[in-house]
Amino acid sequence: MVKGSPNRATPENRVHRVGNRALLALGRQEWIDRPSYRFENVLTFVFNAFGGARDRLTNLLNGVWLGHPVHPPLASFTSGAIGTTVALDALSVLPGRPRTEVLDASRFAQRALGVGIAANLASAVTGVADWQHTHEQDRRIGAVHGILNVVATGLYIQSWWDRRRGRHRRGIVTSAVAYGITTGSGFLGGALVFGSGIGLDQSGNRLRIAQWTPVAPVAELPAGKPTRVEVDGVPVVLCRTGDTVAALGGLCPHLAAPMEDGWLDRGRIVCPWHGSQFATATGEVVRGPAAAPLPCYQARVRGGTVELRDGADHPVGSGRHTPVSALGATETTTEEASL
């Protein structure tokens, strides 16, 4: 084999292959499904116990207020705090360090560990809220990811307790082992986000048409039911309610569910897969698990034909569609309406 050939196995390729095999093996563990769905039933019961506050709680955990899931930034904060603990631990055991430096490093390591434990618990709660809407391989990998984090958190708590009781060496070893488990768990979490798109905005490409563009005869739109059309290869659903027509993205931002299979309910369009609800006038999330808004376009009826245009700003790299203003959307929706 020629040196440098693309078929030559490199250390990076070997690591990648091992990681893929691990993911495939975990994804095939169907025995995980039964306990995971039972656990989901328990979660549903707990959330329903909050009554009228249920939606506010789930929206908080899903990150509707932030525009994307809360779990990833919390997980990053946790990793930073625990990583600080491990670094200070390493500093405290280096030979030849003055006793005052060792004591300072140990004290700050314990404090950083306490912050990491608190952040890890918050990360676990938000992670469970996201995980309950996954399925099949993603659900199994996510379950193992969560179990590993629970084990690691238990070890972190034990480490913190040992340090508090003066058993610093034991606490250092325990937190180091837990950090290794966290690293493996982080690999699984990264595969879910970057491999399967869990938590990413999956509503697809946006329309970028500045001029009014005819898309469908209004007579072909059934009242009260989303109708799918494609404009420049981009799926769009048209929602006719009374004398108005709203135009929204054709794929749910959560897991790319086809929104034409959803339904309209009191000024909202409901995702057919997981029940996310979006305001038809603006595309904003009313109820999760979706965190990103549904793309929303300006629509009007002219000469019996529905016309669309973009008319919105697109923050670079955000993947989000922010209407210019709710007032503007209302004005263009009703402009020259003649149903």
Side-chain angles (χ1 to χ4, degrees), residues 131-183:
W131 167 84
Q132 67 173 328
H133 301 290
T134 58
H135 303 283
E136 297 181 340
Q137 289 88 349
D138 293 336
R139 188 181 190 87
R140 297 160 196 158
I141 293 172
V144 176
H145 168 73
I147 291 171
L148 290 177
N149 278 341
V150 168
V151 173
T153 301
L155 292 175
Y156 289 136
I157 293 173
Q158 181 62 51
S159 174
W160 183 87
W161 182 249
D162 287 337
R163 294 165 193 261
R164 184 176 176 84
R165 301 187 67 179
R167 302 171 181 171
H168 294 287
R169 296 283 180 176
R170 179 175 172 178
I172 289 173
V173 172
T174 304
S175 59
V177 172
Y179 192 61
I181 296 174
T182 297
T183 301

Side-chain angles (χ1 to χ4, degrees), residues 88-158:
L88 290 172
D89 285 342
L91 180 64
S92 69
V93 298
L94 287 177
R97 307 300 299 180
R99 179 171 175 77
T100 55
E101 289 188 10
V102 172
L103 292 176
D104 287 342
S106 297
R107 182 169 63 254
F108 285 114
Q110 182 177 347
R111 292 176 180 175
L113 181 59
V115 172
I117 291 170
N120 212 14
L121 293 174
S123 177
V125 173
T126 55
V128 165
D130 293 338
W131 167 84
Q132 67 173 328
H133 301 290
T134 58
H135 303 283
E136 297 181 340
Q137 289 88 349
D138 293 336
R139 188 181 190 87
R140 297 160 196 158
I141 293 172
V144 176
H145 168 73
I147 291 171
L148 290 177
N149 278 341
V150 168
V151 173
T153 301
L155 292 175
Y156 289 136
I157 293 173
Q158 181 62 51

Side-chain angles (χ1 to χ4, degrees), residues 218 221-227 237-248 263-270 278-281 299 301 306 333-334 337-339:
V218 69
L221 304 181
K225 184 182 186 307
T227 302
V237 289
L238 303 177
C239 305
R240 176 183 172 185
T241 305
D243 293 334
T244 63
V245 175
L248 300 156
W263 59 92
L264 302 178
D265 179 25
R266 295 169 295 178
R268 305 173 182 179
I269 182 170
V270 183
F278 307 87
T280 55
V301 178
V306 178
T333 299
T334 58
S338 58
L339 296 181

Side-chain angles (χ1 to χ4, degrees), residues 42-324:
V42 173
L43 289 176
T44 301
F45 176 80
V46 171
F47 286 136
N48 288 340
F50 285 87
R54 178 191 184 280
D55 287 353
R56 291 193 296 273
L57 175 61
T58 54
N59 285 352
L60 174 68
L61 297 178
N62 290 138
V64 172
W65 56 277
L66 191 59
H68 61 74
V70 187
H71 178 67
L74 277 177
S76 297
F77 183 78
T78 300
S79 297
I82 301 299
T84 300
T85 301
V86 173
L88 290 172
D89 285 342
L91 180 64
S92 69
V93 298
L94 287 177
R97 307 300 299 180
R99 179 171 175 77
T100 55
E101 289 188 10
V102 172
L103 292 176
D104 287 342
S106 297
R107 182 169 63 254
F108 285 114
Q110 182 177 347
R111 292 176 180 175
L113 181 59
V115 172
I117 291 170
N120 212 14
L121 293 174
S123 177
V125 173
T126 55
V128 165
D130 293 338
W131 167 84
Q132 67 173 328
H133 301 290
T134 58
H135 303 283
E136 297 181 340
Q137 289 88 349
D138 293 336
R139 188 181 190 87
R140 297 160 196 158
I141 293 172
V144 176
H145 168 73
I147 291 171
L148 290 177
N149 278 341
V150 168
V151 173
T153 301
L155 292 175
Y156 289 136
I157 293 173
Q158 181 62 51
S159 174
W160 183 87
W161 182 249
D162 287 337
R163 294 165 193 261
R164 184 176 176 84
R165 301 187 67 179
R167 302 171 181 171
H168 294 287
R169 296 283 180 176
R170 179 175 172 178
I172 289 173
V173 172
T174 304
S175 59
V177 172
Y179 192 61
I181 296 174
T182 297
T183 301
S185 173
F187 168 75
L188 299 181
L192 290 174
V193 173
F194 300 109
S196 300
I198 304 300
L200 300 181
D201 184 346
Q202 298 195 43
S203 55
N205 294 331
R206 269 59 168 167
L207 280 180
R208 301 278 199 292
I209 49 175
Q211 303 299 321
W212 288 108
T213 304
V215 295
V218 69
E220 295 182 0
L221 304 181
K225 184 182 186 307
T227 302
R228 177 186 171 115
V229 297
E230 285 203 4
V231 185
D232 290 341
V234 177
V236 177
V237 289
L238 303 177
C239 305
R240 176 183 172 185
T241 305
D243 293 334
T244 63
V245 175
L248 300 156
L251 300 175
C252 179
H254 180 226
L255 288 177
M259 295 303 292
E260 71 269 19
D261 293 338
W263 59 92
L264 302 178
D265 179 25
R266 295 169 295 178
R268 305 173 182 179
I269 182 170
V270 183
C271 172
W273 287 2
H274 300 108
S276 295
Q277 299 180 12
F278 307 87
T280 55
T282 64
E284 293 299 316
V285 182
V286 178
R287 174 180 176 180
L294 193 64
C296 181
Y297 307 106
Q298 295 180 1
R300 71 180 183 183
V301 178
R302 199 171 195 180
T305 300
V306 178
E307 298 181 342
L308 304 183
R309 71 177 180 183
D310 185 6
D313 296 327
H314 298 273
V316 176
S318 70
R320 295 179 56 187
H321 181 107
T322 306
V324 175

Side-chain angles (χ1 to χ4, degrees), residues 29-43 131 139-140 143-144 147:
Q29 304 306 308
E30 297 182 2
W31 62 270
I32 297 177
D33 293 344
R34 181 178 297 234
S36 72
Y37 280 109
R38 287 181 175 176
F39 181 59
E40 182 188 353
N41 290 336
V42 173
L43 289 176
W131 167 84
R139 188 181 190 87
R140 297 160 196 158
V144 176
I147 291 171

